[in-house]
């Protein structure tokens, strides 16, 4: 069925079909998100397994089995947190190498490099016999995450028709949530396999890595990447293939024009410091900060730990994490359905209120009823689980997917890979900070940690209200005229750039 892709503002209308080939490309590329989600979800389960703790973290194991353990501090160990967070620090560094690879070689080879890093990392982590092998394996997995998270969202945004771009891009976040769910299921079953259940759990990431590696040979390079690298005829043929129509001249010319302008920019990172680059750069980087400071990874990373803390026990904790993982996946479908209908801003604002209420309720219950030792009553624990699930719903259809979607669609061609690399590196940095600090924060702040994240949700809601414009339906190469110039605040930076260009021409 042909779909006329129309955009708001001054954005042109391009005719396109949602082809089977594009759907296949989206699914294969988004497997990179599945690996990322699996790595997020598997960490919390593995660090709760006694066999793993005895092998690598005996001090934590002894503290955990103590008769009167501290509910908030039993997992507080910097090396245990480093096991999780080292992946994200490596991904931060890797994102800059991935940016150069994306620009010079294309999005597709960058995804292939990601899958190779994943496979080597899985082998070392699952086969680890000492701490060095374990951490090096996690670092290689981090390089895979850095390359995958750089290439996949850009790939999805560039092959998607404008009107469907939001929903297709969120398939990446959908795969992240599916990866988390699969990891929780794997954790649940492997926790009873002694003594090597943790090895099976860590090794499971090799399956999607192989799918991404071999599947990447079936997908195309994006037209923008091909034209950007002077493969104009191949770019036009690819554009016809993914749009499913012969008449792509108008869209092709818009991409060529954007790429011609991009070639005039010799130093993209210097260009990012110019006034006109400030809106997408500031929004892209702050969305990453806010995404992590919603508190979501604190809950997802350590869902098994959290549920143990409220008294559900080890197996029940992992089973509860499977429940939250299922809700995460199903709620992401809500985001896919709504993002191109209600728009990005509505989802960000609605979920800010939604998540704030949940965090406050959880924090109040824990502050009131959970002592340093002991457990919650069954009724209170059940309420905590319910509000965690409702909280995950709000994140899954808003700040989760939109943290990746908005930066991938708002940078112009000349700074797209570099700008998105900064966004990815910010995401990985703040993920690293939360992963490294959360258990220590939980130990020090106790239930106050949920009020800490609540305050951040208020800040991010206000930021979305006043500074995040709507990008629904706008052509990816028309953001400047249709989004930034009309915005009450960001238009001043566009005017500064225009005035500077006029001065240069008249000088």
């Amino acid at each position: 069925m042909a779909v006329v892709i129309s955009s708001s503002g001054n954005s042109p209308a391009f005719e396109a079909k949602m082809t089977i080939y594009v759907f296949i490309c989206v699914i294969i590329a988004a497997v990179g998100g599945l690996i990322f989600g699996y790595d997020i979800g598997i960490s919390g389960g593995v660090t709760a397994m006694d066999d793993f703790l005895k092998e690598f973290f005996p001090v934590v194991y002894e503290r955990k089995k103590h008769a009167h353990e501290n509910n908030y501090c039993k997992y507080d160990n910097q090396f245990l947190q480093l096991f999780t967070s080292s992946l994200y620090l490596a991904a931060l560094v890797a994102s800059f190498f991935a940016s150069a690879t994306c620009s010079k070689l294309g999005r597709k080879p960058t995804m292939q490099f990601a899958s190779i890093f994943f496979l080597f990392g899985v082998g070392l982590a699952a086969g680890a016999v000492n701490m060095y092998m374990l951490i090096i394996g996690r670092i290689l997995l981090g390089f895979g995450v850095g390359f995958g998270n750089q290439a996949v969202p850009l790939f999805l945004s560039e092959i998607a028709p404008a009107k469907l771009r939001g929903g297709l891009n969120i398939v990446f976040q959908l795969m992240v949530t599916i990866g988390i769910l699969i990891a929780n299921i794997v954790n649940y079953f492997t926790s009873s396999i002694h003594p090597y259940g943790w090895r099976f759990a860590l090794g499971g990431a090799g399956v999607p890595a192989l799918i991404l590696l071999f599947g990447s040979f079936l997908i195309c390079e994006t037209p923008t990447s091909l034209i950007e690298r002077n493969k104009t005829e191949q770019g036009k043929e690819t554009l016809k293939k993914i749009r499913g129509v012969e008449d792509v001249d108008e869209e092709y010319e818009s991409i060529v024009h954007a790429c011609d302008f991009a070639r005039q920019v010799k130093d993209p990172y210097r260009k990012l410091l110019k006034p006109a680059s400030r809106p997408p750069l500031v929004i892209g980087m702050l969305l990453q900060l806010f995404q992590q400071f919603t508190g979501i990874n604190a809950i997802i990373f350590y869902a098994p730990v959290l549920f143990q803390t409220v008294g559900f026990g080890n197996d029940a904790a992992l089973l509860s994490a499977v429940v939250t993982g299922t809700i995460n996946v199903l709620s992401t479908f809500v985001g896919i359905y709504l993002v191109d209908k209600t728009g990005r801003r509505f989802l960000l604002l609605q979920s800010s209120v939604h998540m704030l209420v949940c965090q406050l309720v959880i924090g109040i219950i824990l502050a009131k009823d959970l002592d340093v030792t002991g457990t919650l009553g069954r009724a209170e624990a059940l309420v905590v689980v319910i509000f965690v699930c409702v909280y995950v719903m709000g994140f899954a259809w808003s700040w989760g997917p939109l943290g990746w979607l908005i930066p991938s669609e708002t940078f112009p061609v000349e700074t797209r890979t570099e700008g998105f690399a900064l966004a990815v590196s910010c995401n990985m940095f703040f993920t690293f900070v939360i992963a490294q600090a959360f258990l220590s924060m939980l130990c020090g702040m106790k239930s106050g940690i949920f009020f800490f994240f609540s305050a951040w949700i208020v800040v991010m809601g206000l930021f979305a209200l006043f500074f995040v414009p709507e990008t629904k339906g706008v052509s990816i190469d028309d953001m400047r005229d249709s989004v930034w110039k009309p915005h009450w605040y960001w238009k001043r930076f566009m005017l500064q750039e225009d005035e500077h260009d006029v001065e240069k021409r008249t000088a």
Side-chain angles (χ1 to χ4, degrees):
M1 181 180 70
V3 181
V4 176
I5 306 304
S6 59
S7 305
S8 59
N10 302 317
S11 193
F14 302 128
E15 186 179 341
K17 296 176 182 177
M18 180 57 204
T19 64
I20 295 295
Y21 181 70
V22 167
F23 179 77
I24 292 171
C25 287
V26 167
I27 296 300
I28 290 174
V31 169
L34 191 148
I35 305 171
F36 181 38
Y38 187 90
D39 283 326
I40 291 173
I42 212 69
S43 302
V46 166
T47 53
M49 292 182 189
D50 289 347
D51 293 322
F52 177 79
L53 293 175
K54 281 189 285 187
E55 181 85 18
F56 297 104
F57 305 98
V59 173
V60 179
Y61 174 70
E62 290 299 322
R63 186 189 301 160
K64 178 185 173 184
K65 70 175 186 177
H66 195 272
H68 299 288
E69 60 193 6
N70 186 314
N71 277 315
Y72 294 102
C73 299
K74 60 186 173 183
Y75 290 97
D76 179 23
N77 180 281
Q78 287 298 309
F79 287 107
L80 180 61
Q81 291 173 116
L82 183 62
F83 164 73
T84 294
S85 60
S86 58
L87 184 150
Y88 304 98
L89 195 59
L92 186 162
V93 175
S95 62
F96 292 101
F97 293 101
S99 168
T101 307
C102 262
S103 295
K104 302 295 184 185
L105 302 179
R107 286 46 163 165
K108 176 177 172 178
T110 307
M111 287 186 274
Q112 291 170 334
F113 280 121
S115 62
I116 292 169
F117 280 124
F118 281 130
L119 288 170
F120 279 107
V122 165
L124 275 175
V129 294
N130 55 52
M131 183 69 73
Y132 296 108
M133 285 182 67
L134 190 67
I135 298 301
I136 292 171
R138 293 290 289 177
I139 289 171
L140 286 174
L141 285 169
F143 267 76
V145 167
F147 272 68
N149 288 13
Q150 170 72 22
V152 174
L154 287 178
F155 177 87
L156 297 178
S157 285
E158 289 179 348
I159 68 166
K163 194 173 182 180
L164 304 175
R165 187 176 62 242
L168 292 181
N169 189 284
I170 289 179
V171 174
F172 173 76
Q173 180 66 17
L174 174 65
M175 286 294 198
V176 172
T177 64
I178 291 173
I180 293 170
L181 174 60
I182 292 172
N184 288 331
I185 294 171
V186 169
N187 281 332
Y188 180 71
F189 287 105
T190 57
S191 64
S192 59
I193 302 174
H194 303 290
Y196 298 128
W198 63 271
R199 294 191 189 275
F200 292 116
L202 293 177
V207 176
L210 285 171
I211 293 173
L212 179 62
L213 178 61
F214 291 110
S216 66
F217 291 101
L218 302 177
I219 64 178
C220 64
E221 184 56 86
T222 71
T224 300
S225 178
L226 290 167
I227 294 168
E228 189 180 18
R229 291 179 289 122
N230 292 311
K231 299 180 179 181
T232 53
E233 284 306 312
Q234 190 178 347
K236 188 170 186 177
E237 290 305 311
T238 301
L239 188 60
K240 290 179 181 179
K241 184 175 183 179
I242 64 174
R243 294 292 177 257
V245 296
E246 286 298 312
D247 184 11
V248 295
D249 289 347
E250 194 173 353
E251 184 174 5
Y252 170 74
E253 289 301 327
S254 73
I255 297 173
V256 169
H257 175 73
C259 290
D260 285 343
F261 183 76
R263 290 188 192 99
Q264 299 172 24
V265 177
K266 303 303 180 187
D267 187 347
Y269 285 104
R270 184 182 292 254
K271 175 70 174 177
L272 282 171
L273 300 177
K274 301 288 185 182
S277 298
R278 210 153 297 160
L281 182 64
V282 170
I283 290 174
M285 294 176 74
L286 285 180
L287 282 179
Q288 310 311 312
L289 166 68
F290 293 148
Q291 187 193 68
Q292 299 311 310
F293 279 75
T294 57
I296 184 63
N297 278 349
I299 288 174
I300 294 297
F301 280 150
Y302 303 109
V305 177
L306 182 62
F307 284 110
Q308 279 186 327
T309 296
V310 298
F312 275 72
N314 194 45
D315 286 347
L318 289 169
L319 184 58
S320 299
V322 170
V323 172
T324 60
T326 303
I327 291 169
N328 201 4
V329 171
L330 296 178
S331 300
T332 305
F333 280 106
V334 176
I336 290 173
Y337 178 75
L338 291 178
V339 69
D340 290 314
K341 290 182 168 56
T342 64
R344 284 69 160 149
R345 272 172 51 83
F346 173 82
L347 293 177
L348 291 175
L349 294 171
Q350 179 278 328
S351 64
S352 294
V353 176
H354 178 140
M355 293 189 297
L356 176 63
V357 171
C358 293
Q359 288 275 23
L360 289 174
V361 170
I362 294 169
I364 289 169
I365 291 174
L366 295 184
K368 177 174 171 287
D369 296 320
L370 184 65
D371 295 326
V372 172
T373 57
T375 62
L376 286 177
R378 298 299 294 178
E380 291 89 347
L382 183 60
V383 171
V384 169
V385 170
I386 290 171
F387 273 91
V388 165
C389 292
V390 174
Y391 167 87
V392 169
M393 288 170 60
F395 178 85
W397 64 55
S398 60
W399 289 90
L402 297 181
W404 297 108
L405 168 60
I406 293 173
S408 74
E409 68 181 0
T410 50
F411 285 101
V413 169
E414 63 268 23
T415 57
R416 187 169 297 157
T417 59
E418 292 77 13
F420 193 65
L422 286 173
V424 171
S425 65
C426 281
N427 185 286
M428 294 302 112
F429 174 74
F430 292 120
T431 306
F432 166 78
V433 168
I434 291 296
Q436 186 65 26
F438 173 67
L439 293 177
S440 298
M441 290 168 66
L442 182 63
C443 181
M445 299 173 69
K446 300 180 174 58
S447 58
I449 194 169
F450 293 96
F451 300 109
F452 170 80
F453 288 126
S454 295
W456 277 100
I457 291 173
V458 172
V459 172
M460 65 185 70
L462 292 173
F463 179 80
L465 178 63
F466 291 109
F467 297 106
V468 179
E470 185 54 68
T471 56
K472 179 184 73 171
V474 181
S475 170
I476 195 170
D477 293 311
D478 195 47
M479 293 291 170
R480 179 186 173 97
D481 291 331
S482 297
V483 173
W484 306 124
K485 282 188 175 181
H487 191 267
W488 74 273
Y489 181 76
W490 299 120
K491 65 182 179 183
R492 69 191 66 188
F493 298 100
M494 301 299 112
L495 291 173
Q496 286 179 31
E497 189 82 356
D498 290 344
E499 289 168 1
H500 179 69
D501 290 342
V502 170
E503 288 173 5
K504 282 179 65 178
R505 284 195 296 269
T506 57

